Amino acid sequence: MKRKKLERAVFGFAAVVIAAAAWFWSRQVGDVIDLLRMAYG
Amino acid sequence: MQPMLNDLLLSLAHWFDAMPWSTALHESLYLYAWAESTHVLTLMVFLGMLFIIDLRMLGLIFTDVPASTVAKRLDVPMLIGFAVMFATGFILYFAIPVRTTQSLWFRIKVVLLIAAGINALLFRARMKAADGSWDRDPKPPRRLRISAGLSLALWAGVVITGRTIAYDWFDCHKQLPYFLYWAAGCVDEMARFE
Amino acid sequence: MELLPFFEWLEASALGEAAKAYGGVFAVVQMFHLLALALLGGTVILGDLRLLGLVMADVPSETVIRNTQQWFNAALVLIAASGLFMSGAVAIKLYYNEMFWAKMTGLGLGIAFVYGIRRPLLLRFEHATINPWALRLLAVTSLVIWFSVAACGRWIGFS
C-alpha cells in the first residue's frame, strides 16, 4: 500500500537526517569549544 | 525638544558603553554572533506567526477556519517569538550602544515598532468590539483588512530597517547633509554647522 | 563533477556584476530574503507544531497542512530567487565556504522531503490513518532540516 511505503520512507529519511544533523552540529559545537579553549585557556 | 532627547539618548548610550559587559559582548568571539543569529532566526517564529494571522485577516489563508481561532491560537507562539527578539535585540543594542543610538535606520526602526505596536492594539480593540458576525467569513470586513495590510507593511519595514543598521551609509562620521545629521542625532556634527 | 567553473561563471555573469555593483540593490534583495525566511519558517513551524499537537489543536491537522502549503511554495520561490541573486555577488567565496555547502545539502534534502514524502503522505491520506510515530518523526525531521538550513545560512556570513 502507498501509505505504508510513505511511512517507511519517513522513518528512513528521519533516521538519516537526524543522524546527519546530530553529527554536523556536534562537530560545529566542538569547533567552537576548541576555539574558545585556545582563546581563553 | 529634539536636541534634548538626542543628548539624553546619547548619554544613556555612553553610560551603557562604559559598562564592562558591553565591551565584553562587543569583543566576544561568539556571544554577539549568537545573539544576532538568534535574533534573525526567531523571525521565523514571531514574524512567521504574525504573517499568518495578518494573511488570515486579508482573507488569503485559513479561509475555512474562523479568524478569531487563528488569531487566538497563534498569539502565544507569536508573543514568545517577540519576547526572544526583544531580549536579543536589547543585547545587540547594549553591545554597540553609541553607534546604534546614532543610527538613522535604528531610529526609523524604533518609530516603526511603536507604530506597529499601536496598530496591533487598535486591531485587538477592533477584534474585541466586533460582534463576531464576520468571524467565519473567508474575507473579514474592510477595516480589519486595512489594519492587517498596515501591520504587514509596518513589520516588513521593521525588518528592513533592522537589516540596514549593519550598513554604514549614513553613519555620523560620513559627510552628510545637515538634516541627516539631525535625523540620526549626530550631536557633534550638528554643532560644527553652527 | 567540478563545480568551481560554475561559481566563477556566476560571479562574472551579469547577475554577479549587478549584485556586486549596486550595494543598495543587494541590501534590498537581502531584505526580501529575510521576509521570505519568516514566511517559510512560519509555515513550516506551524504545520510541524500542529502535527505534534502543540498549536491549533482544535483545528484539524489536514486543514493546517492544506492552508500553509501554497504559502510555503511562494516563500520558497522568493527565498531561492533572492538567494541566487545574492550568491552571484560572492560566488567564488561561497564555493570555499563549508557552511554554504552544508546549507545547500540541507536545502536539497528539505525540498526532496517536502515534495517527495511530506506532501504525498499528508495531503493524500487522512492523518488519523497514519502511524502516529511517523507523523511525529515527520514533524521533528522537518523542523531539524529547516532550522539547519536557516542556521547554516546565517552562519555563512560569520565564517
Side-chain angles (χ1 to χ4, degrees):
Chain A
M1 213 173 113
K2 188 86 204 269
R3 181 172 55 85
K4 286 265 183 263
K5 224 173 100 185
L6 282 167
E7 282 174 1
R8 271 202 300 277
V10 169
F11 288 121
F13 209 95
V16 172
V17 164
I18 291 168
W23 169 79
F24 178 77
W25 287 118
S26 61
R27 218 187 55 152
Q28 298 305 323
V29 172
D31 285 355
V32 168
I33 292 170
D34 284 348
L35 197 112
L36 289 177
R37 273 222 188 96
M38 271 198 289
Y40 299 109
Chain B
M1 173 69 196
Q2 212 256 1
M4 235 175 72
L5 190 63
N6 271 335
D7 284 334
L8 190 73
L9 291 171
L10 196 59
S11 7
L12 182 72
H14 280 299
W15 182 61
F16 280 132
D17 201 38
M19 291 183 183
W21 260 100
S22 171
T23 317
L25 256 169
H26 190 167
E27 291 175 353
S28 69
L29 285 170
Y30 283 112
L31 233 51
Y32 185 81
W34 276 339
E36 197 183 33
S37 300
T38 309
H39 194 65
V40 173
L41 294 178
T42 310
L43 274 178
M44 296 191 284
V45 181
F46 168 64
L47 205 65
M49 298 305 130
L50 186 112
F51 276 170
I52 291 167
I53 296 174
D54 282 342
L55 288 174
R56 172 62 185 91
M57 298 304 165
L58 288 169
L60 295 171
I61 196 173
F62 282 115
T63 45
D64 49 352
V65 177
S68 64
T69 306
V70 174
K72 273 184 209 137
R73 298 298 173 265
L74 298 189
D75 209 31
V76 172
M78 183 179 81
L79 289 176
I80 292 173
F82 184 81
V84 173
M85 292 206 74
F86 196 87
T88 48
F90 180 77
I91 291 173
L92 295 176
Y93 161 80
F94 182 71
I96 310 178
V98 176
R99 180 182 177 260
T100 311
T101 299
Q102 296 190 323
S103 159
L104 179 66
W105 299 112
F106 181 71
R107 292 176 167 227
I108 300 173
K109 177 174 177 165
V110 171
V111 171
L112 290 175
L113 258 172
I114 294 169
I118 294 171
N119 184 54
L121 288 176
L122 289 175
F123 190 88
R124 265 166 202 252
R126 276 184 201 167
M127 280 261 314
K128 269 196 187 140
D131 52 1
S133 57
W134 53 271
D135 202 22
R136 290 183 171 276
D137 294 355
K139 211 176 195 181
R142 195 151 173 261
R143 277 186 337 144
L144 281 127
R145 294 210 306 276
I146 291 171
S147 281
L150 192 62
S151 162
L152 282 176
L154 287 170
W155 285 108
V158 171
V159 175
I160 287 166
T161 48
R163 181 62 194 88
T164 36
I165 294 171
Y167 292 96
D168 64 353
W169 303 327
F170 302 118
D171 274 17
C172 285
H173 62 81
K174 299 258 163 135
Q175 201 65 49
L176 301 172
Y178 183 80
F179 86 94
L180 282 179
Y181 284 139
W182 174 83
C186 303
V187 182
D188 296 342
E189 284 72 10
M190 276 156 77
R192 268 198 272 124
F193 270 85
E194 272 141 28
Chain C
M1 195 168 55
E2 186 54 69
L3 286 170
L4 184 57
F6 170 73
F7 284 81
E8 284 170 343
W9 168 81
L10 181 62
E11 183 145 354
S13 70
L15 186 82
E17 291 299 326
K20 265 200 294 284
Y22 307 105
V25 177
F26 186 88
V28 170
V29 173
Q30 197 169 43
M31 293 157 195
F32 280 102
H33 201 65
L34 278 176
L35 293 173
L37 165 83
L39 187 56
L40 185 135
T43 55
V44 167
I45 289 170
L46 179 58
D48 290 332
L49 291 185
R50 174 61 190 89
L51 289 176
L52 293 170
L54 295 173
V55 284
M56 287 185 119
D58 53 348
V59 176
S61 53
E62 286 91 345
T63 307
V64 176
I65 298 298
R66 199 165 13 81
N67 271 290
T68 46
Q69 55 158 339
Q70 68 270 45
W71 287 102
F72 174 89
N73 292 345
L76 188 62
V77 169
L78 184 58
I79 210 165
S82 54
L84 180 66
F85 180 86
M86 282 154 57
S87 62
V90 287
I92 295 170
K93 218 169 113 189
L94 286 178
Y95 178 80
Y96 295 106
N97 188 314
E98 188 194 3
M99 277 296 172
F100 171 74
W101 290 107
K103 176 176 179 174
M104 289 305 115
T105 308
L107 181 64
L109 281 172
I111 290 173
F113 182 65
V114 168
Y115 296 100
I117 299 176
R118 194 179 201 262
R119 294 226 179 139
L121 185 67
L122 295 181
L123 291 176
R124 274 187 226 155
F125 303 97
E126 250 180 72
H127 297 179
T129 65
I130 301 170
N131 179 341
W133 279 104
L135 285 181
R136 279 175 208 136
L137 265 176
L138 182 108
V140 171
T141 305
S142 163
L143 287 171
V144 168
I145 291 179
W146 294 110
F147 168 78
S148 296
V149 172
C152 287
R154 184 63 205 94
W155 218 258
I156 288 173
F158 291 131
S159 52

